[in-house]
Amino acid sequence: MNRVGKLGVVAAAATATILATGTSAYAGTDASSSVTGSSSRFISYGDKFENCDTSSDGLISYVAFEYVRIDGSLQTGSHYNPGSSGDCSQWDHDFGEGRTVRFRSCVDQPAWATDTCDRWRSGVA
């Protein structure tokens, strides 16, 4: 077999190996949470939270979250939507793949009142 023929066989074998191997499957799970005045989503592709203010009540909507890191420590936080009724905001994270993220949509009430929140929901990063 000549040199060009051997290179063609090698290239074909390499292409077949790449196509057969493929990439690992994406296994994240999206989830959503809502309460009157606030709607939130966990978007597993990119580990994003989105929060939308759904009421013209003048109150601030937000998403609260918690995540257990690989070392067992708990990461908690909240992202407040700076917009008003109809506005949505997104925030990126980098959670470990296949790990559960808990979150809930909330509305920030005046200081004398308890915030209004949905129950905790779960997504998978």
Side-chain angles (χ1 to χ4, degrees), residues 26 42-49 65-71 75 79 91-101 124-125:
Y26 179 73
F42 174 69
I43 304 162
S44 58
Y45 187 76
D47 298 345
K48 297 177 185 177
F49 287 111
F65 69 91
E66 60 184 29
Y67 165 77
V68 178
R69 295 181 183 111
I70 193 96
D71 67 3
Q75 176 183 349
H79 294 297
W91 302 270
D92 292 328
H93 286 267
D94 189 17
F95 299 120
E97 291 230 5
R99 303 193 53 86
T100 300
V101 177
V124 179

Side-chain angles (χ1 to χ4, degrees), residues 11-76:
T15 301
T17 301
I18 291 168
L19 292 175
T21 304
T23 57
S24 61
Y26 179 73
T29 304
D30 295 353
S32 60
S33 168
S34 63
V35 65
T36 300
S38 180
S39 176
S40 300
R41 293 189 309 153
F42 174 69
I43 304 162
S44 58
Y45 187 76
D47 298 345
K48 297 177 185 177
F49 287 111
E50 178 181 71
N51 176 269
C52 299
D53 188 325
T54 60
S55 181
S56 56
D57 55 13
L59 299 173
I60 297 171
S61 66
Y62 68 96
V63 58
F65 69 91
E66 60 184 29
Y67 165 77
V68 178
R69 295 181 183 111
I70 193 96
D71 67 3
S73 63
L74 183 65
Q75 176 183 349
T76 63

Side-chain angles (χ1 to χ4, degrees), residues 1 5 15 17 39 42 46 54 61 81 87 103 112 115 118:
M1 188 180 285
T15 301
T17 301
S39 176
F42 174 69
T54 60
S61 66
N81 185 343
D87 291 336
F103 70 102
W112 47 266
D115 287 358
D118 187 21

